[in-house]
Amino acid sequence: MEEASLTLSLIVPVKNEEAAIGPFVSRVSAVLDALRAPDGGGESWEILFIDDGSQDATLAAICAANARDARVRGLSLSRNFGKEAALSAGLDHVRGRTVVPIDVDLQDPPEVIGDMLAKWREGYEVVYGVRRNRMTDSLPKRLTADLYYRAHNWLSMDKIPEHAGDFRLLDRKVVDVIRKMPERNRFMKGLFAWSGFRQTAVEYDRAERMVGETKFNYWKLWTLAIDGITSASTVPLRVWSYLGAVIAIIALGYAGFLAIRTIVSGIDVPGYASIMVATLFLGGVQLLSLGILGEYVGRILVETKHRPIYVVRERIGMGDAHSERQ
Ligand code: UDP
Ligand code: MG
């Protein structure tokens, strides 16, 4: 990493977005060129695309954008590592005193960046964008997102702001803290929340996707949700001892009741239904708790392997003076 020499760096993870790069660069550079620094001059900025294993002409589109404007740079990963890893790669390679991760589909309006910079100049180190409403999302997506934020914040000590995506401004200090975090599981919202600092919000309306289609289906979102909760909370691991204790106490009481009833009114053979229910219920609870144990153990395995979070295949307009995280 060089010294932070620019005011603003945008990190844009892209996977199969060939049609989105051109429109993104022209709209965003117009907005950024119009920004005024306190001394009245223009702000210095860069856009860093992270090509996250695209199969289409995304890389060529990034190269073309770089040829037109050297402030647009790119990093191509060796395969698809996922958006969180792509963001980590971006944080490792940007030079700005402030950094804004933003999606390429222009769902996050670049005009908001001006408001974020203004808050940063007031002294805030994290300015996250909060969606005023989620009307561009489908109803099931809204409901599941809502449920997720509640579950996460209920289970975890590090609260994540509701309905704030990755679109936010980070001061260099925050970026450096996140870069030092050793974990392989890069649930970014969780890392941002953990790091603390002076935080504030700006509201914005999230637009419809301009071109292409979403890369996140419900299964990917579910996996992301599990990553988020397991990285931020150990409550799902610990709750079983309490549940087990409660069930054991109830079972003890029931055993006493059965013993007394047998003494008072003799042996009572029927009981098939209650035995089945108890066996199946306990079997279910045991498998569930084992599965949750498995989720955590699997993640411990991934962490102990210490593999790199991403692998860079190619750099566009980057020079060679950049260090790689190993
Ligand atoms: N993306 C990525 N790697 C992936 C999936 C998505 O870099 O494996 C990028 C994608 O190209 C886009 C951003 O992450 O710039 C957000 O994706 P998308 O718009 O599909 O998500 P949504 O807005 O639907 O949640
Ligand atoms: Mg999108």
Side-chain angles (χ1 to χ4, degrees), residues 300-311:
I300 297 173
L301 179 70
V302 171
E303 296 292 337
T304 53
K305 287 198 230 172
H306 286 297
R307 292 193 181 163
I309 296 165
Y310 58 87
V311 177

Side-chain angles (χ1 to χ4, degrees), residues 17 83 103-108 141 206-210 213-216:
E17 305 274 13
K83 184 180 174 187
D103 290 353
V104 74
D105 52 18
L106 291 172
Q107 284 194 281
D108 311 318
K141 173 99 184 255
R206 195 162 157 92
E208 297 277 2
R209 205 176 216 285
M210 286 299 197
E213 53 195 33
T214 174
K215 309 291 180 294
F216 285 92

Side-chain angles (χ1 to χ4, degrees), residues 12-17 50-52 80-84 86-87 102-105 107 131 137 141 206 209 213-216 220-221:
V12 197
V14 282
K15 180 192 168 198
N16 298 341
E17 305 274 13
I50 314 296
D51 171 22
D52 186 17
N80 180 247
F81 283 87
K83 184 180 174 187
E84 311 294 311
L87 285 176
I102 183 170
D103 290 353
V104 74
D105 52 18
Q107 284 194 281
R131 297 165 210 180
D137 287 334
K141 173 99 184 255
R206 195 162 157 92
R209 205 176 216 285
E213 53 195 33
T214 174
K215 309 291 180 294
F216 285 92
K220 269 178 108 176
L221 286 172

Side-chain angles (χ1 to χ4, degrees), residues 97-142:
R97 279 182 284 134
T98 68
V99 178
V100 176
I102 183 170
D103 290 353
V104 74
D105 52 18
L106 291 172
Q107 284 194 281
D108 311 318
E111 290 76 14
V112 178
I113 295 171
D115 305 341
M116 291 177 167
L117 272 177
K119 291 277 187 199
W120 174 67
R121 292 223 153 86
E122 283 172 25
Y124 291 101
E125 282 120 354
V126 177
V127 187
Y128 50 86
V130 175
R131 297 165 210 180
R132 204 169 282 138
N133 63 57
R134 296 188 67 126
M135 283 311 160
T136 51
D137 287 334
S138 66
L139 185 66
K141 173 99 184 255
R142 287 210 298 274

Side-chain angles (χ1 to χ4, degrees), residues 183-196:
E183 59 251 66
R184 314 287 113 182
N185 177 353
R186 309 300 288 185
F187 182 73
M188 280 296 168
K189 290 184 213 184
L191 303 189
F192 294 149
W194 182 91
S195 65

